[in-house]
Amino acid sequence: MLGQTEKKRKIYLSINHGKVVQGTGANKKYYSYIDGSIEAIYTKRSTFGAETITRWYIDIRDGEELYSLCLPYSSGVFKSIILALASDNALNCTTPVRIEPYEGKNGYTKVVVYSEGVKLDWIVKQLPPQEKVTIGGREVKDDSKQMQLINSYVATIRERINKAAI
């Protein structure tokens, strides 16, 4: 017998002010954490007028629900998540993971990542320093060396989650 299954939609989330956020405008819902197993990590580009923005997406499955956590490309929160996940050598597509943001004393959002209930430390304690470059007479921070390292860790994590659980 063949049956027709209803295609479940992805539930898009973000992290803001130390909370996981679902929805926009007046319809926002706030959560303390998200947990499930990581299915994918990828980037998407969006164009708004003349500006193109790249964002990271972390797809997390919890039973029937599929969540997609959306974060800015150079986000410190994203970097923290990746540095923590990269330290878990046993990570695979079924590993239960919890991402728990919080607001630090300085007002910045920070994040703690757990794998199978164990808090993960960063794989490295320090990222390469950001360099200051001048563009059009303005001094800006260049984090391209940091993002090269983060991208290499993303590739490692992808390999781990694409392997079948042992």
Side-chain angles (χ1 to χ4, degrees):
M1 179 195 292
L2 293 176
Q4 200 164 358
T5 57
E6 187 180 312
K7 185 170 173 27
K8 291 263 186 182
R9 63 178 181 82
K10 250 184 218 184
I11 298 169
Y12 288 91
L13 306 169
S14 60
I15 292 179
N16 200 354
H17 296 293
K19 295 286 183 196
V20 175
V21 182
Q22 178 186 355
T24 58
N27 298 323
K28 286 184 184 178
K29 293 180 185 172
Y30 297 90
Y31 301 94
S32 302
Y33 60 86
I34 178 172
D35 59 14
S37 55
I38 296 178
E39 283 196 352
I41 301 173
Y42 55 95
T43 58
K44 275 189 188 176
R45 293 175 163 243
S46 304
T47 303
F48 301 95
E51 190 175 4
T52 299
I53 296 172
T54 303
R55 291 190 180 97
W56 286 104
Y57 291 83
I58 303 173
D59 286 356
I60 301 170
R61 179 160 307 277
D62 182 23
E64 292 292 310
E65 299 292 347
L66 180 60
Y67 300 99
S68 193
L69 183 59
C70 173
L71 297 161
Y73 186 75
S74 290
S75 159
V77 170
F78 180 78
K79 292 174 186 177
S80 292
I81 292 168
I82 294 306
L83 290 170
L85 290 173
S87 72
D88 184 0
N89 292 321
L91 183 72
N92 63 49
C93 62
T94 63
T95 304
V97 170
R98 174 176 286 192
I99 298 171
E100 195 171 304
Y102 65 96
E103 201 160 13
K105 291 176 186 151
N106 59 6
Y108 289 107
T109 296
K110 300 179 184 285
V111 68
V112 179
V113 180
Y114 298 88
S115 174
E116 298 193 78
V118 177
K119 181 181 175 191
L120 298 174
D121 289 326
W122 283 9
I123 191 164
V124 292
K125 296 296 176 208
Q126 201 159 0
L127 288 171
Q130 293 183 358
E131 296 173 5
K132 291 180 180 174
V133 294
T134 304
I135 299 174
R138 261 187 37 215
E139 196 172 85
V140 295
K141 290 182 179 178
D142 175 11
D143 71 344
S144 56
K145 287 182 182 170
Q146 287 183 1
M147 292 313 296
Q148 277 182 315
L149 182 62
I150 294 298
N151 274 290
S152 72
Y153 287 135
V154 167
T156 299
I157 294 164
R158 282 183 186 138
E159 285 176 23
R160 291 175 184 163
I161 62 175
N162 287 332
K163 287 183 184 171
I166 297 172

